[in-house]
Amino acid sequence: MADETPVPPPPPPSVPVPSGGPPSRGGYPVVLELERDHDVANWRPLVNWLLAIPHWIVLYVLGIAAFVLWVVSIFVVLFTERNPFLGFQTMYLRYYWRVTSFAAFMRNEYPPFDFATDPALVVRDAAVVDVDDPGEMNRWLPLVKWLLAFPHYVVLWLLGIAAFVVIVIAFFAVLFTGRWPEGMRDFVVGYFRWYTRVHAYVFLLTDAYPPFSLQ
């Protein structure tokens, strides 16, 4: 009699993991992303900087307010170990990234005039900045954070020069191809991610020391 041992069924085909989703936070409490593809209208490099002028004016005023609140928050954290201006400062960083990503022709979509300080009320946009609530903070760090961040200032100065050169090259790339080169855009976004983390650290939005990383 023939061997009738049943043959086990073949394993089910593996399902590919979809790409293009939001990247992992990597555990750091300050997140900056640009959640859109690399295609941009060819004429955007010529006009986005001009169209962004109303936003730059608003951003200038917000920057003054953010600086004043930072000075006040130093004393508030010293006595209460809490930063009550987290929502406003996060809104400022989010607004800055939205305007900068538009002015640097990394997007077609005009940034909204959105001043929501509550994360639940923030207008959805491709340029994302999120800051986790740090809760109780170290009351003494506000006195030295600006000094501890000094190595980051040096690196960011060098990266800023490189980012400027990359943006100039990308100007012509987008003008002729209608697309940001992927590696170049990743570098520029990474530079602003690094800058935002350091700003958030110095402006008392987190006690977590920022990593030396573009990711």
Side-chain angles (χ1 to χ4, degrees), residues 70-215:
W70 169 64
V71 174
V72 175
S73 66
I74 293 176
F75 298 96
V76 176
V77 173
L78 277 173
F79 289 101
T80 70
E81 299 182 341
R82 298 272 181 173
N83 185 354
F85 310 117
L86 177 71
F88 182 91
Q89 298 285 21
T90 302
M91 178 272 292
Y92 169 72
L93 289 177
R94 182 183 300 115
Y95 201 99
Y96 178 84
W97 174 227
R98 289 176 173 181
V99 176
T100 302
S101 62
F102 177 78
F105 50 89
M106 288 189 280
R107 52 187 287 176
N108 297 320
E109 307 80 21
Y110 197 70
F113 288 90
D114 175 29
F115 309 104
T117 57
D118 183 345
L121 302 177
V122 172
V123 175
R124 184 171 177 80
D125 188 79
V128 176
V129 172
D130 288 322
V131 180
D132 293 342
D133 188 339
E136 190 173 284
M137 306 184 74
N138 185 311
R139 70 170 73 246
W140 303 114
L141 274 179
L143 302 177
V144 296
K145 280 185 174 180
W146 61 273
L147 181 61
L148 296 175
F150 185 79
H152 284 282
Y153 300 150
V154 176
V155 177
L156 283 173
W157 181 74
L158 297 174
L159 289 176
I161 296 174
F164 175 78
V165 173
V166 169
I167 290 173
V168 171
I169 296 172
F171 177 93
F172 296 98
V174 174
L175 199 63
F176 290 105
T177 70
R179 182 176 177 84
W180 257 84
E182 183 174 355
M184 289 185 178
R185 200 189 79 166
D186 288 347
F187 175 78
V188 174
V189 172
Y191 164 73
F192 282 104
R193 180 181 295 119
W194 194 328
Y195 170 85
T196 300
R197 287 172 174 173
V198 174
H199 184 104
Y201 177 75
V202 174
F203 274 62
L204 314 182
L205 304 188
T206 180
D207 279 345
Y209 194 72
F212 287 83
S213 173
L214 297 170
Q215 303 303 317

